[in-house]
């Protein structure tokens, strides 16, 4: 007998077997019981969460010999034919390969004929968003006023691409991603029935890699069981899927917290030597910091983090060594590394830079910092001389301003040009990174906008209010102004604004490329 993959073997046959979509199941069951069925439904949501399975169960519920019923018998000819995809009254159409107006015209012609044996003629169109605009328009009239024996069920992963005129003629149900806990419960049920033993940590790794899609989790489980004979370890799963183990994520984050750059880079090198995908590693790091953020805010609530109690406790303990600002900074650094990796041929260099930034010992840098900061020269005190007028004994104050002071007053407030400020901008950010990396990271998202007298305005995109508010803190603003003064040789104050205009970071990209060229002794062949 041919082998049936787990995703098909364990496909739900009843409404109560649909995992994680109780809000939809309860509504459909109530509609069937009260005979309040719509003529068209739109099921939208991510892949592998039960859209097509729900459509089939609904078709069975309507055409079962005992129906309409919330519990189709699964044994009558109609139920069996629908299960085996051979029913003449339930037609499943792939929207991607039948997307043209000619196919829809053919469908409209067939709609006129009554069902052959069931109560309803049901059209299930998968990936309906793939239909052309002309095909949608050809379907509109029929969709609005179909024959009483016709039902439409549309399924899509991209509801935003479906015409609003189509959506308005349907009852829409939004399927959600299935939580890791729900996926693990279903996998445990499958393993028990199949008489297979796997550790719970293996199931968590499978659930995490499925990204909320139960069908994907079942397919991965099939792959793992087929690949590994006998006992399956967590290492086997991470090796097959290219994942980074949870323990490794905790370990490298601890190196960052301990400000041990060398150990962090060595551990990253080990991960890469094991054949792990750098993009997957970056994504896993971002997810780990997301979990740390939630653990920090919620007190390691397992429901919010969606991981096992043991892992949540470890996250809570590790989050104690981090502040929220440090976590937000890590997000920015890792996302910048991901963006840089897309622009460069090497994915390793951006990751190394990101880990070095996050694990750099700013306390050591702070000891060097005073030599990099120039204190403003002390102004000589003005001498006040008080004497009486000879005529009326009125006291007259004479303010003697030293010669040096008068020269400064006659000098322009700021003599550097805007281009000169832009030329030193990348160097200012680099110097700040050695003193306080969070300030450097936030400032790198902005760009010099204009100079008015001795005030430099730095612009950020309108959705970067967190960066602006953080840099406006007195200690951060003072640090930036001192660094600019040191780089330019003249005092310069800063002001921060949000703008809807696009922020270009050409200068920063050039600095990154220049650093890479210097490191590897390269040269520019052609500038684009």
């Amino acid at each position: 007998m041919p082998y049936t993959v787990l995703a098909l073997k364990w496909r739900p046959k009843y409404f109560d077997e649909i995992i994680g979509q109780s809000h939809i199941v309860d509504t459909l069951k109530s509609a069937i019981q009260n005979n309040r069925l719509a003529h068209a439904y739109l099921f939208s949501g991510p892949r592998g969460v039960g859209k097509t399975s729900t459509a089939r169960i609904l078709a069975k519920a309507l055409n079962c010999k005992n129906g309409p019923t919330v519990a189709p018998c699964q044994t009558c000819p109609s139920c069996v034919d629908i299960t085996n995809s051979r029913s003449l009254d339930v037609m499943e159409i792939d929207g991607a390969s039948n997307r043209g107006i000619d196919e829809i015209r053919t469908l409209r012609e067939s709609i006129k004929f009554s069902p052959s044996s069931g109560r309803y003629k049901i059209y299930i169109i998968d990936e309906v968003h793939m239909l052309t605009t002309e095909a949608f328009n050809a379907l509109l009239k029929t969709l609005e006023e179909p024959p009483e024996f016709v039902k439409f069920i549309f399924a899509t992963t991209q509801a935003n691409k479906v015409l609003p005129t189509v959506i308005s003629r349907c009852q829409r149900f939004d399927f959600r991603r299935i939580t890791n806990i729900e996926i693990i419960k279903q996998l445990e049920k499958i393993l028990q029935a199949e008489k297979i033993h796997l550790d719970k940590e293996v199931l968590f790794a499978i659930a995490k890699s499925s990204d909320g899609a139960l069908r994907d989790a079942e397919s991965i489980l099939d792959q793992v069981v087929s690949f590994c004979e006998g006992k399956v370890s967590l290492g086997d799963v991470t090796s097959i899927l290219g994942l980074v183990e949870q323990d490794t994520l905790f370990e490298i984050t601890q190196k960052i917290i301990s400000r041990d750059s060398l150990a962090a880079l060595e551990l990253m090198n080990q991960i890469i030597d094991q054949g792990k995908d750098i993009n997957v590693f970056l994504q896993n790091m971002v997810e780990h910091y997301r979990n740390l953020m939630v653990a920090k805010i919620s007190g390691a609530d397992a429901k919010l983090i969606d991981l096992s109690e043991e892992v949540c406790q470890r996250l809570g303990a590790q989050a104690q060594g981090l502040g929220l600002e440090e976590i937000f900074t890590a997000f920015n650094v890792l996302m910048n590394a991901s963006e840089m990796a897309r622009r460069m041929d090497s994915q390793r260099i951006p990751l190394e830079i990101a880990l070095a930034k996050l694990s750099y010992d700013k306390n050591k840098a702070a000891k060097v910092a005073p030599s990099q900061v120039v204190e403003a020269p002390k102004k000589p005190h003005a001498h006040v001389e008080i004497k009486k007028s000879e005529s009326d004994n009125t006291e007259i104050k004479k303010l003697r301003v030293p010669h040096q002071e008068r020269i400064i007053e006659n000098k322009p407030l700021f003599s550097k040009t805007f281009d000169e400020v832009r030329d030193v901008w990348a160097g200012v950010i680099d110097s700040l990174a050695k003193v306080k990396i969070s300030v450097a990271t936030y400032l790198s998202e902005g760009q010099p906008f204009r100079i008015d007298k001795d005030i430099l305005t730095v612009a950020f995109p309108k959705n970067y209010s967190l960066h602006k508010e953080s840099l406006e803190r007195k200690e951060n603003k003072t640090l930036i102004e001192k660094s600019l003064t040191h780089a330019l040789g003249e005092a310069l104050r800063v002001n921060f604004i949000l703008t809807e205009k696009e922020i270009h970071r050409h200068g920063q990209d050039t600095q990154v490329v220049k650093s890479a060229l210097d490191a590897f002794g390269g040269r520019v062949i052609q500038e684009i």
Side-chain angles (χ1 to χ4, degrees):
M1 187 174 179
Y3 176 72
T4 304
V5 297
L6 296 177
L8 294 178
K9 186 176 181 180
W10 287 88
R11 193 169 195 168
K13 298 178 181 178
Y14 299 95
F15 282 118
D16 293 338
E17 292 179 351
I18 297 172
I19 307 297
Q21 313 297 343
S22 58
H23 60 297
I24 294 173
V25 169
D26 292 343
T27 303
L28 291 176
K29 288 168 68 174
S30 178
I32 293 171
Q33 290 171 338
N34 296 308
N35 194 26
R36 298 183 64 85
L37 294 164
H39 60 270
Y41 293 92
L42 176 63
F43 294 166
S44 67
R47 69 180 191 280
V49 295
K51 298 186 298 296
T52 307
S53 295
T54 303
R56 285 187 175 186
I57 294 171
L58 179 58
K60 289 180 187 179
L62 298 180
N63 277 354
C64 178
K65 70 175 184 179
N66 299 327
T69 175
V70 296
C73 68
Q74 307 293 340
T75 56
C76 69
S78 178
C79 287
V80 173
D81 287 345
I82 294 172
T83 299
N84 296 322
S85 301
R86 60 172 185 244
S87 174
L88 297 176
D89 295 330
V90 179
M91 280 146 284
E92 294 189 36
I93 301 169
D94 177 19
S97 55
N98 298 275
R99 61 194 302 266
I101 190 171
D102 292 335
E103 289 85 353
I104 298 301
R105 282 172 177 166
T106 303
L107 183 148
R108 285 174 55 189
E109 291 299 319
S110 67
I111 285 175
K112 300 174 183 178
F113 302 102
S114 300
S116 59
S117 58
R119 293 179 189 81
Y120 295 97
K121 208 166 189 178
I122 302 170
Y123 292 86
I124 301 174
I125 303 181
D126 198 14
E127 298 301 340
V128 71
H129 66 272
M130 296 293 289
L131 295 183
T132 64
T133 303
E134 293 78 9
F136 272 129
N137 289 332
L139 187 61
L140 282 179
K141 186 62 178 176
T142 305
L143 184 60
E144 186 170 22
E145 297 178 0
E148 60 181 10
F149 52 79
V150 171
K151 301 291 182 186
F152 289 99
I153 306 175
F154 302 138
T156 178
T157 54
Q158 300 182 50
N160 59 301
K161 292 186 177 181
V162 180
L163 291 182
T165 49
V166 173
I167 296 177
S168 67
R169 289 165 167 81
C170 303
Q171 276 193 14
R172 176 173 173 174
F173 291 90
D174 291 319
F175 286 66
R176 65 177 180 85
R177 293 184 185 277
I178 304 173
T179 66
N180 290 337
I181 304 299
E182 291 170 326
I183 290 175
I184 289 169
K185 287 182 180 178
Q186 179 65 10
L187 294 183
E188 287 177 333
K189 181 180 178 181
I190 293 173
L191 292 173
Q192 185 177 2
E194 299 289 331
K195 297 181 180 179
I196 302 171
H197 175 72
L198 291 180
D199 292 336
K200 199 154 189 175
E201 60 182 5
V202 174
L203 297 183
F204 266 105
I206 293 174
K208 184 180 177 183
S209 65
S210 67
D211 194 25
L214 178 58
R215 184 182 63 212
D216 288 6
E218 291 169 341
S219 298
I220 294 170
L221 178 62
D222 226 337
Q223 179 184 359
V224 169
V225 173
S226 301
F227 179 79
C228 306
E229 296 182 2
K231 184 175 177 61
V232 180
S233 67
L234 179 60
D236 294 328
V237 177
T238 54
S239 176
I240 293 170
L241 302 178
L243 302 174
V244 179
E245 293 185 18
Q246 195 79 49
D247 287 342
T248 304
L249 295 174
F250 277 107
E251 186 178 355
I252 200 165
T253 304
Q254 197 58 47
K255 304 296 184 190
I256 292 171
I257 295 173
S258 303
R259 300 289 182 246
D260 193 341
S261 300
L262 177 59
L265 291 176
E266 287 176 343
L267 183 55
M268 183 212 72
N269 189 60
Q270 294 175 16
I271 295 169
I272 295 175
D273 286 345
Q274 294 170 4
K276 305 297 185 184
D277 187 290
I278 294 178
N279 284 329
V280 173
F281 175 63
L282 266 172
Q283 181 181 346
N284 291 157
M285 284 293 295
V286 172
E287 290 176 357
H288 186 71
Y289 270 93
R290 173 264 175 193
N291 293 336
L292 287 170
M293 176 192 69
V294 177
K296 185 79 175 177
I297 295 172
S298 68
D301 188 335
K303 290 182 179 179
L304 291 177
I305 299 174
D306 197 19
L307 288 172
S308 66
E309 287 286 351
E310 180 186 355
V311 174
C312 290
Q313 290 175 4
R314 292 182 65 186
L315 285 167
Q318 191 168 66
Q320 295 300 317
L322 290 167
L324 277 177
E325 185 175 343
E326 290 180 277
I327 296 175
F328 295 146
T329 299
F331 277 130
N332 285 324
V333 171
L334 293 170
M335 293 308 296
N336 287 342
S338 181
E339 182 67 26
M340 192 190 304
R342 283 196 287 268
R343 301 177 185 176
M344 299 178 64
D345 291 335
S346 172
Q347 296 178 329
R348 179 171 183 149
I349 293 174
L351 178 58
E352 289 175 331
I353 293 173
L355 290 179
K357 278 185 176 181
L358 292 175
S359 57
Y360 191 83
D361 191 342
K362 58 185 178 183
N363 291 327
K364 290 182 180 179
K367 295 177 183 178
V368 185
S371 64
Q372 301 173 346
V373 179
V374 177
E375 293 185 4
K378 294 183 178 179
K379 296 182 180 180
H381 295 289
H383 178 68
V384 179
E385 181 181 340
I386 303 176
K387 59 189 297 185
K388 293 184 179 181
S389 169
E390 295 179 356
S391 58
D392 57 2
N393 293 328
T394 304
E395 289 186 347
I396 302 173
K397 293 183 180 180
K398 288 188 177 180
L399 180 63
R400 293 183 183 175
V401 181
H403 178 67
Q404 182 182 359
E405 186 83 4
R406 291 197 298 272
I407 292 175
I408 292 175
E409 287 178 354
N410 294 330
K411 184 180 178 180
L413 287 175
F414 189 74
S415 63
K416 302 292 184 182
T417 65
F418 183 69
D419 287 339
E420 287 178 301
V421 173
R422 287 197 303 184
D423 289 342
V424 303
W425 186 249
V428 168
I429 292 175
D430 288 342
S431 66
L432 285 170
K434 299 174 183 178
V435 181
K436 193 171 183 181
I437 191 171
S438 60
V439 173
T441 303
Y442 287 153
L443 192 62
S444 67
E445 298 295 341
Q447 279 292 290
F449 187 67
R450 65 171 177 266
I451 290 180
D452 183 17
K453 296 181 180 179
D454 64 339
I455 299 176
L456 170 66
T457 298
V458 181
F460 291 88
K462 63 179 180 180
N463 57 335
Y464 278 57
S465 58
L466 174 66
H467 297 59
K468 176 178 176 290
E469 292 170 4
S470 178
L471 295 178
E472 283 175 340
R473 294 177 185 171
K474 184 178 180 180
E475 66 275 14
N476 293 340
K477 193 172 182 180
T478 300
L479 191 61
I480 295 169
E481 291 174 346
K482 285 183 177 180
S483 185
L484 281 166
T485 299
H486 173 67
L488 294 165
E490 295 186 37
L492 183 63
R493 292 179 292 163
V494 290
N495 179 45
F496 306 105
I497 63 169
L498 300 176
T499 178
E500 294 186 359
K501 296 181 180 179
E502 183 179 357
I503 301 296
H504 298 285
R505 301 184 178 85
H506 179 265
Q508 291 172 241
D509 294 342
T510 303
Q511 183 69 21
V512 171
V513 174
K514 183 178 182 302
S515 300
L517 291 174
D518 293 341
F520 295 100
R523 61 190 180 89
V524 176
I525 303 297
Q526 180 180 2
E527 290 190 3
I528 300 175

